[in-house]
C-alpha cells in the first residue's frame, strides 16, 4: 500500500486555523468589518484570499453591510463567510434572518467576548449562546457549532461550510477569546482526507425550475444567480416560486420545510465528543475553551476515585438531546461550567427534567473557568 502523505504541521492561533479551514472548504468570498477579538480572521483573509483563483475579499463599512455582501455572494454561487464579535454579532442579526429565509448558505464566525454592549473586548466569555440560537426574530432553524482547541477551529470551520452547503442554511461557529488566541501545533489535512460538500444545483431545464420547491430532503437545488435560472429572492414569506404570499397553506409549507430540513438530519448535525462517559456518575457538559478545563478536571477526578465523565458539545444547536439522554441513564449529577450566567444549562435542565442533580459553574468576570473550580464541584458528587 502507498504510504500516506505526511500532513503539514504549523503553529497557529485559533483565528488562523479558522482561515485554514475556510480555504480548505473552498471559501472564495469574505466580507467583513474588523472587531476584537476576531480581527485576525479578517486580516489573514485580506492577505490570502485574493491570491487564490476567484478569491474576493472586501471590507465593508459595518457589520450590517458585511452580512449583506456575504448573502449576495452566496446567492451568486460563492462559498462565503464573515467573522465578528460582540456588538458586531448584534448588528448582523437582521441579515442573518434574511439569509435563513432566502436559504443562502454561509458561515458566520462569532468570537465571543464579554458583554453586553462594548463590555470586555479583550476578555473571554460565552454570553452569546442563546443569541446565536434566537438572536434573529421569528421561528427559525439554525445550526450553531463550537470549537475548544485550535485543531478544532480548523476542523469545525470545514464542518460549518459543509453543513451550510448541504442544508442551504447559515451556520454559526461560536468561539471565545481564549480559543481564538491560543497558539498550538495543528495538522493541515491533505487533499482527499476531508469531505468538501458543495450545494446541489438544478438538473432540470431552467423553464421547469422552482427555487423553493419541496424535495425529499427539504433542500431545494440552488443555481447561481445569473446562470440562466430564474431566481426571485425575498425576506418575505414566499411560495415555491419565491414570490411573497399570505396564503396560510403556503406559509405553513415553507416554515415546515425549512425546519424539517434540519430536524430530520439530527444524526448528521449533532456532534459531540464523549470522554470517560461509559460509567460516569458525575458528568460535565461543556463547550468551547471551558471544555479543556473540564477534561483535565475529569481526569483528576478519576485519579481521586470519582467516576466522572465529559460530554463535550461540538454542536450547540440543535441541542444534542439524545446524547444527554444516554448519559442520564447512569449519571446522578450533571455539572455545567460556562462563562456566562447560565445559558447552556437551560438546555441541560430542559432535557434533564429533574432526573439528575444539575450543578452550574458560572463566571462573568472576564476570566476562564479553571480545572480546579470544576474539580471542586465534581468531588462534591
Amino acid at each position: 500500500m502507498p504510504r500516506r502523505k505526511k500532513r503539514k504541521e504549523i503553529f497557529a492561533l485559533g483565528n488562523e486555523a479558522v482561515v485554514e479551514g475556510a480555504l480548505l472548504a473552498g471559501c472564495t468570498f469574505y466580507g467583513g468589518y474588523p472587531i476584537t477579538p476576531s480581527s485576525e480572521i479578517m486580516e489573514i483573509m485580506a492577505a490570502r484570499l485574493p491570491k487564490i483563483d476567484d478569491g474576493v475579499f472586501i471590507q465593508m463599512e459595518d457589520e450590517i453591510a458585511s452580512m449583506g455582501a456575504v448573502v449576495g455572494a452566496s446567492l451568486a454561487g460563492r462559498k462565503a463567510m464573515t467573522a465578528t464579535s460582540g456588538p458586531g454579532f448584534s448588528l448582523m442579526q437582521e441579515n442573518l434572518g434574511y439569509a435563513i429565509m432566502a436559504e443562502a448558505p454561509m458561515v458566520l464566525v462569532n468570537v465571543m467576548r464579554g458583554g453586553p454592549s462594548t463590555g470586555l473586548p479583550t476578555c473571554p466569555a460565552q454570553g452569546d449562546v442563546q443569541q446565536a440560537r434566537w438572536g434573529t426574530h421569528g421561528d427559525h432553524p439554525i445550526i450553531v457549532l463550537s470549537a475548544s482547541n485550535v485543531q478544532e477551529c480548523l476542523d469545525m470551520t470545514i464542518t460549518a461550510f459543509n453543513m451550510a452547503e448541504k442544508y442551504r442554511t447559515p451556520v454559526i461557529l461560536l468561539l471565545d477569546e481564549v480559543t481564538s488566541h491560543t497558539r498550538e501545533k495543528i495538522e493541515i489535512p491533505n487533499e482527499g482526507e476531508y469531505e468538501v460538500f458543495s450545494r446541489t444545483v438544478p438538473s432540470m431545464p431552467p423553464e421547469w425550475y422552482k427555487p423553493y420547491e419541496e424535495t425529499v430532503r427539504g433542500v431545494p437545488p440552488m443555481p447561481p444567480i445569473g446562470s440562466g435560472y430564474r431566481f426571485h429572492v425575498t425576506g418575505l414569506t414566499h411560495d415555491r416560486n419565491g414570490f411573497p404570499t399570505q396564503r396560510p397553506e403556503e406559509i405553513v409549507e415553507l416554515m415546515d420545510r425549512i425546519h424539517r430540513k434540519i430536524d430530520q438530519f439530527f444524526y448528521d448535525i449533532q456532534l459531540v465528543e464523549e470522554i470517560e462517559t461509559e460509567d460516569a456518575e458525575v458528568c460535565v457538559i461543556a463547550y468551547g475553551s471551558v471544555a479543556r478545563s473540564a477534561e483535565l478536571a475529569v481526569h483528576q477526578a478519576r485519579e481521586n476515585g470519582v467516576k466522572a465523565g465529559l460530554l463535550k458539545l461540538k454542536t450547540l444547536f440543535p441541542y444534542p438531546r439524545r446524547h444527554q439522554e444516554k448519559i442520564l441513564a447512569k449519571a446522578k449529577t450533571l455539572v455545567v461550567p460556562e462563562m456566562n450566567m447560565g445559558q447552556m444549562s437551560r438546555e441541560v435542565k430542559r432535557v434533564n427534567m429533574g432526573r439528575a442533580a444539575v450543578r452550574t459553574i458560572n463566571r462573568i468576570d472576564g476570566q476562564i473557568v479553571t480545572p480546579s473550580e470544576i474539580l471542586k464541584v465534581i468531588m462534591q458528587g
Side-chain angles (χ1 to χ4, degrees), residues 349 351-357:
K349 292 174 182 176
V351 174
N352 182 57
M353 297 179 66
R355 284 174 284 181

Side-chain angles (χ1 to χ4, degrees), residues 187-213:
E187 291 186 347
I188 308 296
N190 298 313
E191 187 176 353
E193 293 182 342
Y194 57 95
E195 179 188 25
V196 175
F197 193 95
S198 297
R199 67 197 66 171
T200 302
V201 296
S203 57
M204 73 283 285
E207 60 270 20
W208 295 358
Y209 176 66
K210 293 184 178 181
Y212 297 102
E213 190 164 28

Side-chain angles (χ1 to χ4, degrees), residues 79-94:
K79 290 188 177 182
M81 74 169 293
T82 190
T84 190
S85 181
F89 191 49
S90 296
L91 289 173
M92 291 183 173
Q93 294 303 318
E94 183 178 1

Side-chain angles (χ1 to χ4, degrees), residues 124-127 129 285 287 290 335-346 349 358-370 373-374 377:
Q126 294 177 320
V129 170
I285 300 179
Y287 56 96
V290 178
V335 179
V336 190
E338 302 180 82
M339 292 186 289
N340 57 47
M341 296 183 73
Q343 296 194 21
M344 189 51 68
S345 63
R346 294 172 182 264
K349 292 174 182 176
V358 178
R359 306 187 190 282
T360 60
I361 303 171
N362 306 107
R363 294 200 70 160
I364 54 171
D365 57 359
Q367 303 299 309
I368 64 171
V369 180
T370 65
E373 288 178 279
I374 301 172
V377 176

Side-chain angles (χ1 to χ4, degrees), residues 8-320:
K8 179 182 178 182
E9 294 181 340
I10 63 171
F11 281 95
L13 295 175
N15 283 343
E16 293 179 84
V18 167
V19 175
E20 295 290 344
L23 296 178
L24 289 173
C27 176
T28 59
F29 184 92
Y30 185 101
Y33 189 83
I35 184 169
T36 303
S38 72
S39 295
E40 293 88 354
I41 298 174
M42 181 170 179
E43 291 164 1
I44 299 168
M45 274 293 195
R48 295 189 58 184
L49 200 53
K51 295 179 181 179
I52 69 172
D53 290 343
D54 295 326
V56 175
F57 170 90
I58 184 168
Q59 176 175 329
M60 302 300 290
E61 63 266 31
D62 56 31
E63 290 85 353
I64 300 172
S66 299
M67 273 294 289
V70 170
V71 172
S74 174
L75 294 171
R78 298 298 187 105
K79 290 188 177 182
M81 74 169 293
T82 190
T84 190
S85 181
F89 191 49
S90 296
L91 289 173
M92 291 183 173
Q93 294 303 318
E94 183 178 1
N95 274 335
L96 176 62
Y98 187 91
I100 292 168
M101 186 61 99
E103 299 180 67
M106 54 153 293
V107 172
L108 194 172
V109 179
N110 176 27
V111 183
M112 293 181 285
R113 68 191 215 185
S117 189
T118 310
L120 299 165
T122 60
C123 296
Q126 294 177 320
D128 301 351
V129 170
Q130 291 294 337
Q131 184 185 17
R133 176 60 188 93
W134 297 110
T136 194
H137 65 278
D139 289 313
H140 63 276
I142 193 72
I143 297 174
V144 183
L145 307 178
S146 181
S148 64
N149 58 53
V150 179
Q151 184 68 54
E152 284 183 7
C153 287
L154 183 152
D155 297 339
M156 295 307 290
T157 301
I158 296 175
T159 300
F161 272 97
N162 285 340
M163 287 188 180
E165 295 286 313
K166 190 180 296 185
Y167 301 112
R168 267 193 74 173
T169 183
V171 175
I172 298 171
L173 176 59
L174 283 186
L175 307 180
D176 58 64
E177 188 276 334
V178 170
T179 306
S180 71
H181 286 155
T182 295
R183 186 180 295 276
E184 294 176 321
K185 181 186 287 187
I186 63 171
E187 291 186 347
I188 308 296
N190 298 313
E191 187 176 353
E193 293 182 342
Y194 57 95
E195 179 188 25
V196 175
F197 193 95
S198 297
R199 67 197 66 171
T200 302
V201 296
S203 57
M204 73 283 285
E207 60 270 20
W208 295 358
Y209 176 66
K210 293 184 178 181
Y212 297 102
E213 190 164 28
E214 181 64 87
T215 67
V216 174
R217 294 177 58 244
V219 184
M222 182 180 180
I225 285 180
S227 61
Y229 288 82
R230 195 188 187 294
F231 199 144
H232 188 267
V233 181
T234 178
L236 291 167
T237 303
H238 45 267
D239 61 18
R240 294 186 177 194
N241 290 309
F243 293 109
T245 183
Q246 292 189 3
R247 293 179 177 177
E249 66 277 10
E250 292 178 336
I251 297 169
V252 171
E253 179 184 90
L254 171 65
M255 294 299 288
D256 281 351
R257 182 179 59 75
I258 65 173
H259 282 84
R260 179 169 53 82
K261 72 180 182 181
I262 304 299
D263 295 347
Q264 69 180 340
F265 293 105
F266 280 177
Y267 66 88
D268 182 54
I269 296 170
Q270 294 174 334
L271 307 176
V272 302
E273 182 178 343
E274 296 186 26
I275 300 170
E276 304 277 13
T277 59
E278 295 82 1
D279 62 345
E281 295 179 355
V282 180
C283 188
V284 183
I285 300 179
Y287 56 96
S289 63
V290 178
R292 302 184 70 153
S293 294
E295 184 172 354
L296 178 56
V298 163
H299 292 317
Q300 291 174 336
R302 286 270 172 177
E303 292 171 359
N304 284 278
V306 176
K307 292 181 179 180
L310 169 63
L311 178 64
K312 181 167 77 173
L313 305 179
K314 295 184 176 182
T315 300
L316 303 186
F317 297 101
Y319 182 71

